[in-house]
């Protein structure tokens, strides 16, 4: 079978298509004939920095849709040929991938395999940010970094559906700002830390926002924390900047009663798979009933994985990027 792997860390050019053996599922696993796989920023960090890479060579890819090829020992409730979408621990940039059954989900009725590939990482993450950790209440205000990305696209819609008073986004360019405004954002700020910090205070008459969501880390994390209103909540869900971790303690939290939470869907899959399944069920339902949509804005063949990485790395992409594997 074909797989896209890298044997060293570096730019998109280290991604190579290779021929390799078809993997066989172990106990509690299934193998999946991949139709589509999602491209995520975590894939770029894996390729460039070794993020969540246990060894080299490594096949990236954290989510896929397709049909079950084979069942491992002890697997119940799933069937060969069944259409599924799944989180993986890498390996989805391939004709066949493996997934633990705890992170394999039947494709919802009425959803095709292309759309199903957009579900596993983005929708549960966005739902958790808005509801499980963010605990957004009607009338509250939200600030979202990366508003035009996959998660940002869904968060804007979920926040509006939950009755947010105002949803503010931060993006890197005007084209992204125009895109984000189509998906629930009332105002979108273009620029870096200085620009959005000043803009948030102006938009809220100096009050700040009730909920801030940050996948960037570093100075953006600090500025998001400083942008909170009294009793506001900040949820960190990534470190795209690769900045050193910054500790938060009493000096930052006590004066205005703010709180900080964190979320990683990949970690939750390992530590609390039952909670992940419940979360995914609630999140997928929002796509099925039309509350949210996540447009696929670019699609590449498996052999074009490097081009997909180049596009995402330019910070000009919006929505969801997919690799078409089996069609």
């Amino acid at each position: 079978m074909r797989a896209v792997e890298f044997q060293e860390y570096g730019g998109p050019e280290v991604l190579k298509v290779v021929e390799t053996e078809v993997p066989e599922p172990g106990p509690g696993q299934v193998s999946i004939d991949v139709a589509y796989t999602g491209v995520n920023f975590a894939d770029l960090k894996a390729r460039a920095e070794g993020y969540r890479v246990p060894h080299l060579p490594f096949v990236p890819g954290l989510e896929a849709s397709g049909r079950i090829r084979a069942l491992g020992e002890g697997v119940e409730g799933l069937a060969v040929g069944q259409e599924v979408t799944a989180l993986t621990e890498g390996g989805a940039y391939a004709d066949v991938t493996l997934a633990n059954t705890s992170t394999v989900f039947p494709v919802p009725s009425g959803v095709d395999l292309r759309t199903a590939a957009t579900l596993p990482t983005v929708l549960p993450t966005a739902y958790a940010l808005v509801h499980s950790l963010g605990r957004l209440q009607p009338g509250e205000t939200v600030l979202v970094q990366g508003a035009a990305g996959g998660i940002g696209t869904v968060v804007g819609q979920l926040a509006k559906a939950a009755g947010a008073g105002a949803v503010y986004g931060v993006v890197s360019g005007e084209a992204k700002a125009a895109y984000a405004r189509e998906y629930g954002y009332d105002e979108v700020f273009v620029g870096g830390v200085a620009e959005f910090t000043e803009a948030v205070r102006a938009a809220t008459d100096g009050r700040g926002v009730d909920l801030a969501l940050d996948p960037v880390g570093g100075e953006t994390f600090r500025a998001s924390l400083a942008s909170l209103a009294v009793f506001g909540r900040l949820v960190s869900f990534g470190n795209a900047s690769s900045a050193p971790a910054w500790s938060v303690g009493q000096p930052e939290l006590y004066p205005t009663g703010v709180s900080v939470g964190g979320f990683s869907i990949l970690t939750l899959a390992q530590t609390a798979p039952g909670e992940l399944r419940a979360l995914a069920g609630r999140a997928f339902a929002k796509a099925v009933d039309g509350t949210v949509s996540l447009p696929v804005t670019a699609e590449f063949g498996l052999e074009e994985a490097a081009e997909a990485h180049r596009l995402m790395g330019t910070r000009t992409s919006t929505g969801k990027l997919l690799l078409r594997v089996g069609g």
Side-chain angles (χ1 to χ4, degrees):
M1 72 168 193
R2 299 172 303 159
V4 174
E5 68 176 26
F6 53 87
Q7 300 180 358
E8 60 182 331
Y9 302 123
E13 68 278 359
V14 302
L15 295 173
K16 306 295 183 183
V17 179
V18 299
E19 288 290 328
T20 187
E21 296 295 321
V22 175
E24 293 296 329
Q29 292 183 319
V30 299
S31 60
I32 299 170
D33 286 318
V34 177
Y36 295 89
T37 183
V39 179
N40 293 285
F41 192 75
D43 301 338
L44 276 66
K45 286 178 71 70
R47 186 209 73 227
E49 305 172 12
Y51 175 69
R52 290 181 179 267
V53 176
H55 55 76
L56 293 175
F58 183 72
V59 177
L62 299 171
E63 62 184 343
S65 67
R67 296 174 179 84
I68 293 179
R69 178 186 182 93
L71 307 176
E73 181 182 350
V75 173
E76 298 178 351
L78 296 169
V80 171
Q82 184 176 7
E83 292 189 345
V84 294
T85 186
L87 282 173
T88 69
E89 296 179 356
Y93 286 20
D95 287 321
V96 181
T97 192
L98 299 178
N100 296 321
T101 56
S102 59
T103 59
V104 175
F105 310 96
V107 172
S109 177
V111 175
D112 60 32
L113 286 173
R114 186 171 185 266
T115 302
T118 71
L119 302 180
T121 62
V122 170
L123 262 70
T125 296
Y127 191 96
L129 295 176
V130 173
H131 295 290
S132 305
L133 287 108
R135 299 181 177 87
L136 184 66
Q137 300 299 309
E140 290 189 324
T141 52
V142 187
L143 174 67
V144 184
Q145 302 290 334
I151 291 171
T153 298
V154 177
V155 163
Q157 297 169 78
L158 285 175
K160 272 301 185 183
V167 185
Y168 305 115
V170 181
V171 297
S172 59
E174 290 294 345
K176 285 189 171 185
Y179 170 91
R181 292 187 190 101
E182 299 178 7
Y183 291 94
Y185 289 88
D186 298 288
E187 292 189 55
V188 185
F189 312 129
V190 178
V193 169
E195 289 82 5
F196 87 74
T197 303
E198 182 178 343
V200 166
R201 289 296 171 183
T204 60
D205 295 325
R207 177 181 177 274
V209 295
D210 298 294
L211 175 62
L213 306 175
D214 172 45
V216 181
E219 290 300 318
T220 300
F221 176 91
R222 299 187 189 199
S224 297
L225 184 63
S227 298
L228 292 178
V230 174
F231 304 136
R233 291 95 62 201
L234 168 63
V235 183
S236 169
F237 63 103
N239 185 28
S241 66
S242 298
W246 184 57
S247 61
V248 179
Q250 297 170 355
E252 295 82 20
L253 303 180
Y254 279 18
T256 53
V258 298
S259 58
V260 176
F263 183 77
S264 164
I265 193 169
L266 301 178
T267 303
L268 189 70
Q270 296 173 344
T271 60
E275 291 297 327
L276 172 62
R277 295 195 71 82
L279 173 65
R282 294 191 293 271
F284 292 177
K286 295 297 183 181
V288 174
D289 69 13
T291 300
V292 301
S293 63
L294 177 55
V296 175
T297 54
E299 182 180 308
F300 300 82
L302 181 64
E303 68 282 358
E304 299 173 306
E307 292 303 314
H309 277 221
R310 288 190 184 95
L311 175 59
M312 183 168 281
T314 64
R315 300 182 65 199
T316 60
S317 63
T318 57
K320 189 67 176 178
L321 308 186
L322 293 182
L323 299 182
R324 181 182 64 258
V325 183

